[in-house]
Amino acid sequence: MMTADKDKIEVKDLVEALGHRAAVQRISGELPAAIASAEEAISLKAFDPHVNLQRFLVALEQGSAGEARAQWPFIQGKLGDAQL
């Protein structure tokens, strides 16, 4: 849980914050925590391709091609940068 008042935060803002937290956790090498943050954001059903990108990158780092493949439809062509 990010804050005691998490239920007072708009879902889109919470999803964005969880996505940022997942990114920091992934970069810090805390892959299980990054997965938990990304999955929490995904479970809120507020589509944010950046959250799926974090889940995709963690899956790649873990060598989990199946999980990475499962995230691909959620990020392909949706990040605003063709190079990504």
Side-chain angles (χ1 to χ4, degrees), residues 11 15 40-48:
V11 172
V15 168
E40 183 179 352
I42 291 168
S43 75
L44 294 172
K45 308 288 187 214
F47 179 72
D48 184 334

Side-chain angles (χ1 to χ4, degrees), residues 7-45:
D7 57 330
K8 295 179 183 176
I9 299 172
E10 286 190 44
V11 172
K12 68 177 186 58
D13 294 332
L14 182 57
V15 168
E16 183 176 346
L18 286 165
H20 288 300
R21 183 169 76 176
V24 170
Q25 291 166 325
R26 180 184 55 78
I27 291 167
S28 298
E30 300 173 31
L31 300 185
I35 290 170
S37 293
E39 291 297 328
E40 183 179 352
I42 291 168
S43 75
L44 294 172
K45 308 288 187 214

Side-chain angles (χ1 to χ4, degrees), residues 26-72:
R26 180 184 55 78
I27 291 167
S28 298
E30 300 173 31
L31 300 185
I35 290 170
S37 293
E39 291 297 328
E40 183 179 352
I42 291 168
S43 75
L44 294 172
K45 308 288 187 214
F47 179 72
D48 184 334
H50 297 95
V51 172
N52 294 94
L53 174 63
Q54 294 309 314
R55 189 66 186 90
F56 175 81
L57 293 172
V58 169
L60 290 180
E61 286 186 43
Q62 292 181 321
S64 178
E67 180 58 40
R69 201 172 299 112
Q71 296 303 317
W72 184 249

Side-chain angles (χ1 to χ4, degrees), residues 79-84:
L79 296 171
D81 182 341
Q83 300 305 310
L84 289 173

